[in-house]
Amino acid sequence: MDEELRMLTERLRAESAAPGPTGSASGSASGTPGAPAAYDRLVATGDHDELAAVLTEPGHPLWARELAAFRLGVAGDRRAFESLVLLLNHRDPPRCASAAHALARLGDPRTARAAAALATNELRVAYALHPVRLLVELRAPEAVPALITTLRRRLRPHDPYRRVALACVEGLGTLGDDRAAPILNDALAHPALAEAA
């Protein structure tokens, strides 16, 4: 089993079995009984239509939507795209990481544009780490301009998002594009970034 899928299924198995407010096993705030059985079905099914239905039908808990989107994404089924992009910008880092993994394998031409938009959205910069890493993995034309823009904003005094800045520096180094040289030179003046820059 793929390591990312193993980590995802372990995390979501625990979520699906967590007690809801009514005390029953649940993955949603409504206390839906039978969630572990639904989890087992979503892990085992090979029916992409069944997985896609989880993404469009109302009432499914977040763990079920994430599991369905991940499985569709790694299988190259583009019906997962919108759900995976939403998860890529989630406040929970493990959800972002699994969405980035699936998006990198999805093969949807919209992925790089969406990741660039998330990476450069200053209102959501706290969640930009995984979009930045995804852009580097994709090596798309949008990657270098987006990383330069994001890094430039992170070089302001007292910026709290050093992990995002470091991911940009490392990513620009991996991509090896000459357009990054000026911003990497600027990053040398920042102790937390200087060695990587």
Side-chain angles (χ1 to χ4, degrees), residues 175-189:
L175 294 171
D177 191 301
D178 290 343
R179 292 175 292 173
I183 195 71
L184 291 174
N185 280 330
D186 293 345
L188 290 171

Side-chain angles (χ1 to χ4, degrees), residues 24 31 36 50 66 69 79 87 128 133-134 154 158 162 165 168:
S24 60
E50 180 181 356
E66 182 181 0
R79 290 178 287 182
L87 290 166
R133 289 178 177 165
L134 176 58
R154 306 286 62 84
H158 312 296
R162 284 294 171 216
C168 288

Side-chain angles (χ1 to χ4, degrees), residues 70-128:
F70 182 91
R71 293 205 53 220
L72 288 170
V74 297
D77 190 319
R78 292 183 181 175
R79 290 178 287 182
F81 176 77
E82 287 84 3
S83 295
L84 289 171
V85 169
L86 288 172
L87 290 166
L88 181 63
N89 196 33
H90 198 275
R91 68 181 177 273
D92 184 8
R95 291 197 203 286
C96 300
S98 67
H101 180 84
L103 281 164
R105 283 140 191 84
L106 180 60
D108 192 302
R110 300 171 291 175
T111 300
R113 196 166 48 248
L118 293 175
T120 58
N121 182 346
E122 200 59 10
L123 297 176
R124 301 289 291 174
V125 68
Y127 312 111

Side-chain angles (χ1 to χ4, degrees), residues 4-193:
E4 191 68 31
L5 177 59
R6 185 191 64 75
M7 292 188 319
L8 173 87
T9 54
E10 285 180 5
R11 177 171 53 82
L12 297 185
R13 179 183 291 116
E15 281 187 37
S16 73
T22 63
S24 60
S26 167
S28 71
S30 62
T32 307
Y39 166 87
D40 290 339
R41 189 179 70 250
L42 289 176
V43 168
T45 187
D47 184 349
H48 285 195
D49 290 337
E50 180 181 356
L51 293 170
V54 172
L55 302 180
T56 56
E57 294 171 352
H60 290 285
L62 181 58
W63 64 261
R65 293 180 186 280
E66 182 181 0
L67 180 55
F70 182 91
R71 293 205 53 220
L72 288 170
V74 297
D77 190 319
R78 292 183 181 175
R79 290 178 287 182
F81 176 77
E82 287 84 3
S83 295
L84 289 171
V85 169
L86 288 172
L87 290 166
L88 181 63
N89 196 33
H90 198 275
R91 68 181 177 273
D92 184 8
R95 291 197 203 286
C96 300
S98 67
H101 180 84
L103 281 164
R105 283 140 191 84
L106 180 60
D108 192 302
R110 300 171 291 175
T111 300
R113 196 166 48 248
L118 293 175
T120 58
N121 182 346
E122 200 59 10
L123 297 176
R124 301 289 291 174
V125 68
Y127 312 111
L129 182 63
H130 291 286
V132 164
R133 289 178 177 165
L134 176 58
L135 282 168
V136 175
E137 185 173 354
L138 294 174
R139 293 183 167 269
E142 295 88 344
V144 171
L147 269 60
I148 288 172
T149 297
T150 303
L151 179 56
R152 182 174 291 116
R153 294 171 180 164
R154 306 286 62 84
L155 297 182
R156 296 175 185 147
H158 312 296
D159 184 84
Y161 304 109
R162 284 294 171 216
R163 289 186 66 210
V164 173
L166 185 58
C168 288
V169 168
E170 292 171 344
L172 289 168
T174 298
L175 294 171
D177 191 301
D178 290 343
R179 292 175 292 173
I183 195 71
L184 291 174
N185 280 330
D186 293 345
L188 290 171
H190 296 259
L193 306 174

